[in-house]
Amino acid sequence: MKSLQLAMSIQVCVASSSMCWGMTLSAHLVVVMGTQFYDGRENAHTDYPITDLLQMMGRASRPQIDTSGKCVILCHAPRKEYYKKFLYEPFPVESHLDHYLHDHLNAEVVVRTIENKQDAVDYLTWTFMYRRLTQNPNYYNLQGVSHRHLSDHLSELVESTLADLEASKCVAIEDDMDLSPLNLGMIAAYYYISYTTIELFSSSLTAKTKLKGLLEILASASEYSRLPMRPGEEEAVRKLVMHQRFSMDKPKFTDPHVKANALLQAHFSRHTVSGNLALDQREILIDASRLLQAMVDVISSSGWLNPALAAMDLSQMVTQGLWERDSVLLQLPYFTKEIAKRCAENPGRPINTIFDLVEMEDNERRELLQMSDAQLMEIARVCNRFPNIDLAHDVLDSDDISAGETVTLQVTLERELEGRQEVGPVDAPRFPKPKEEGWWLVVGDRKSNQLLAIKRVSLQRKAKLKLDFTAPNEVGKKTYTLYFMCDAYLECDQEYEFTIDVKEAVDDDEDGKPMDE
């Protein structure tokens, strides 16, 4: 049972039915001090959503503890009637599908549920938004509720949405009716990211983009526009920006994308952030993992080698919380920059990699690290789980490669599990959630910065894969590089060079007939 009492502020009394079962009667009071918050993106104070106020009111009665509750909402007098209406009457639930329709339609076009514009209109008739159009037409800017008004509204909505997707190169429209997915649209749907983000990646990435540019483009993703900017955070963001490796050109400290960039760099530098900034950083890192995979796909679609490798390095940095120039030993527990420096300056044999550390004698390692037995055991556990993978490669039919023909490179992978049955999640205590390791196999030409083939790999014990690419039109020997890149660990990547001998293409056989005859 609910009863409402109005004074200068709105006073809400919520009383629950008596279910105390002999419990002493008690009450709980909640006071909402103001109904606005400062929105840094708008640079103005904004009203709390009604749903948030209703959630605050719910705190006024604790289940199985209180038999009554009281909530006092202090607000400006002009807003009193507004809140009275929504707090007294049932709160209508409306659809916001029209605000996010681009990504929904793109995903349905990719899976071929929608193949033309009429399918898109039919799709909308099965949604909750369609049911609400006639119930609350003003909310959806509908001029009327007749069949004609509904049809025109949905057709206009579909036309404008698909036009945006076509402009973003996510969807192709043929004969002004039929729809087909494009590469960018498939990438956006696969990684569940916004079409505006994939458009940003496509338009901003170039063959010469390096780490700083990749970081700026990543932080500019539409997914980060929802980061909250709380009152007083501008100063904290400013301090983060001023103390990071990469500077920004005229940063606006109330911009959520600047905040995302600063928190990513703080993560790589292992600068501790606390409170709400730590929560924001956690969300940024979770989104960054799939955004970077999408970025690699966009770059590889353009055939650029160096930016793709840099994006893979950035994925490793996000997972481990390190810069690419930092010591890889910092991936191990209890290691500090001082200990890593001591290892690098070890007399006799510098220890620069995890495999160097594993190969040391136990007494030498103990003397070098100067840690307790428990700490050494934990380090040994992580070292034994570090990827140790043997790679072999072979060019099939290498003696018969003609210009312009398809070349097949066969790759065999085998992992040493050190007595373990499964690979398990990545050892990454600075990444906010469990993560399975992934790999990329890449064939590229270093000299021309050309990426010829790429394949995403999930490796357990053994795998045999094939990479296909097209032989150059120039006759003679050509050297390429095979890269085996991890998305989670630093310094476990592998590179191999191989050479193919391209012969002149022969179109006709000895009798002058086409070879396929």
Side-chain angles (χ1 to χ4, degrees):
M1 179 182 66
K2 294 184 179 181
S3 60
L4 302 173
Q5 299 175 354
L6 296 175
M8 281 299 294
S9 61
I10 298 176
Q11 189 177 47
V12 183
C13 299
V14 183
S16 60
S17 58
S18 179
M19 298 178 62
C20 55
W21 297 311
M23 189 185 305
T24 303
L25 296 181
S26 61
H28 192 56
L29 174 66
V30 169
V31 180
V32 181
M33 303 291 291
T35 57
Q36 292 186 324
F37 69 98
Y38 179 75
D39 189 343
R41 283 170 288 180
E42 301 294 335
N43 197 26
H45 284 82
T46 306
D47 288 329
Y48 282 117
I50 293 295
T51 50
D52 288 0
L53 287 178
L54 292 174
Q55 185 181 35
M56 296 178 196
M57 289 171 55
R59 305 291 182 180
S61 182
R62 298 167 294 182
Q64 300 185 357
I65 297 178
D66 300 319
T67 55
S68 64
K70 196 172 191 177
C71 177
V72 179
I73 301 176
L74 306 180
C75 68
H76 293 292
R79 306 294 289 170
K80 180 177 175 180
E81 293 301 320
Y82 170 80
Y83 288 117
K84 175 183 174 182
K85 171 180 173 59
F86 283 104
L87 295 178
Y88 269 103
E89 300 174 7
F91 186 66
V93 178
E94 300 294 351
S95 171
H96 283 183
L97 177 62
D98 50 339
H99 298 279
Y100 303 94
L101 188 58
H102 295 79
D103 297 321
H104 284 275
L105 288 187
N106 177 64
E108 298 301 335
V109 171
V110 168
V111 298
R112 303 289 184 176
T113 303
I114 294 175
E115 296 184 340
N116 53 61
K117 292 182 179 180
Q118 184 59 49
D119 289 345
V121 174
D122 295 341
Y123 170 83
L124 292 180
T125 62
W126 290 94
T127 63
F128 176 68
M129 182 187 72
Y130 181 75
R131 300 292 182 266
R132 292 300 302 170
L133 285 175
T134 56
Q135 302 298 319
N136 193 357
N138 290 335
Y139 185 84
Y140 300 96
N141 296 320
L142 206 63
Q143 302 301 319
V145 294
S146 67
H147 179 75
R148 169 66 67 181
H149 285 101
L150 284 175
S151 178
D152 290 346
H153 179 78
L154 293 180
S155 297
E156 183 180 348
L157 185 60
V158 167
E159 286 283 355
S160 61
T161 301
L162 292 176
D164 291 340
L165 290 174
E166 184 183 32
S168 302
K169 299 181 181 178
C170 292
V171 169
I173 302 178
E174 301 172 1
D175 300 328
D176 200 35
M177 178 58 70
D178 296 328
L179 307 175
S180 58
L182 297 179
N183 183 57
L184 294 180
M186 289 187 281
I187 295 174
Y190 183 81
Y191 293 107
Y192 198 62
I193 63 178
S194 171
Y195 84 102
T196 53
T197 296
I198 212 71
E199 182 184 17
L200 170 74
F201 288 174
S202 177
S203 61
S204 302
L205 292 165
T206 69
K208 297 181 180 180
T209 304
K210 296 183 180 179
L211 183 60
K212 180 181 179 180
L214 291 175
L215 185 58
E216 291 177 350
I217 295 170
L218 173 63
S220 299
S222 300
E223 281 70 13
Y224 294 144
S225 62
R226 299 188 292 268
L227 282 177
M229 293 301 299
R230 306 173 187 88
E233 275 191 349
E234 299 94 321
E235 182 61 21
V237 173
R238 186 190 68 80
K239 290 181 179 178
L240 284 175
V241 170
M242 296 305 174
H243 291 84
Q244 298 308 326
R245 173 182 173 183
F246 293 135
S247 61
M248 303 180 206
D249 185 24
K250 298 180 181 179
K252 184 180 179 183
F253 301 119
T254 56
D255 186 347
H257 300 291
V258 171
K259 179 180 180 179
N261 193 323
L263 288 175
L264 281 170
Q265 293 198 55
H267 174 66
F268 303 148
S269 302
R270 297 194 171 181
H271 292 164
T272 303
V273 295
S274 58
N276 290 323
L277 286 178
L279 296 176
D280 293 337
Q281 188 182 60
R282 181 182 188 278
E283 297 303 319
I284 290 170
L285 295 175
I286 292 174
D287 285 340
S289 182
R290 57 191 174 89
L291 288 172
L292 283 169
Q293 292 188 43
M295 185 180 289
V296 170
D297 284 3
V298 172
I299 296 172
S300 59
S301 299
S302 299
W304 301 324
L305 177 62
N306 293 333
L309 298 178
M312 295 171 190
D313 290 339
L314 187 53
S315 178
Q316 299 171 5
M317 292 160 51
V318 166
T319 305
Q320 295 296 336
L322 287 171
W323 290 104
E324 86 290 355
R325 63 185 183 183
D326 290 333
S327 170
V328 297
L329 296 176
L330 294 176
Q331 298 176 98
L332 299 175
Y334 309 115
F335 264 74
T336 63
K337 290 184 178 180
E338 291 73 21
I339 297 177
K341 183 179 179 181
R342 189 165 70 236
C343 290
E345 297 174 350
N346 183 49
R349 186 176 64 135
I351 306 300
N352 293 316
T353 69
I354 292 177
F355 295 111
D356 290 340
L357 189 68
V358 171
E359 293 170 359
M360 293 183 70
E361 297 292 336
D362 290 344
N363 56 342
E364 294 178 354
R365 188 186 307 114
R366 186 185 303 274
E367 182 180 354
L368 176 63
L369 300 183
Q370 300 175 12
M371 295 183 183
S372 65
D373 290 343
Q375 291 175 326
L376 291 173
M377 287 291 292
E378 179 66 13
I379 292 173
R381 183 192 68 80
V382 176
C383 287
N384 290 333
R385 298 190 72 253
F386 196 75
N388 187 5
I389 299 172
D390 294 327
L391 184 150
H393 63 282
D394 182 41
V395 179
L396 302 183
D397 299 326
S398 57
D399 296 332
D400 189 22
I401 299 176
S402 300
E405 287 188 348
T406 299
V407 180
T408 300
L409 179 67
Q410 182 170 283
V411 179
T412 303
L413 303 169
E414 185 172 357
R415 179 197 296 268
E416 295 183 16
L417 286 176
E418 298 291 342
R420 293 177 288 120
Q421 298 298 319
E422 297 180 353
V423 175
V426 174
D427 276 295
R430 294 180 179 272
F431 194 74
K433 61 181 292 187
K435 175 180 171 63
E436 299 296 328
E437 70 180 43
W439 301 82
W440 287 282
L441 276 170
V442 180
V443 175
D445 184 352
R446 286 178 173 174
K447 294 182 179 179
S448 63
N449 187 27
Q450 185 179 9
L451 188 149
L452 302 173
I454 184 171
K455 180 168 292 203
R456 181 79 172 166
V457 181
S458 179
L459 177 65
Q460 291 296 318
R461 282 185 175 272
K462 296 181 180 180
K464 182 176 287 188
L465 309 112
K466 292 181 179 180
L467 288 169
D468 294 332
F469 61 96
T470 303
N473 294 322
E474 297 82 8
V475 175
K477 292 187 177 181
K478 187 71 174 179
T479 300
Y480 295 115
T481 305
L482 171 65
Y483 299 88
F484 186 49
M485 304 290 293
C486 186
D487 70 348
Y489 292 104
L490 279 77
E491 205 64 29
C492 63
D493 306 325
Q494 302 181 39
E495 296 182 18
Y496 301 91
E497 286 192 349
F498 65 95
T499 302
I500 60 173
D501 189 3
V502 182
K503 299 178 175 60
E504 187 174 352
V506 179
D507 295 331
D508 300 331
D509 61 8
E510 295 178 352
D511 298 329
K513 297 180 180 180
M515 294 183 67
D516 57 355
E517 294 183 3

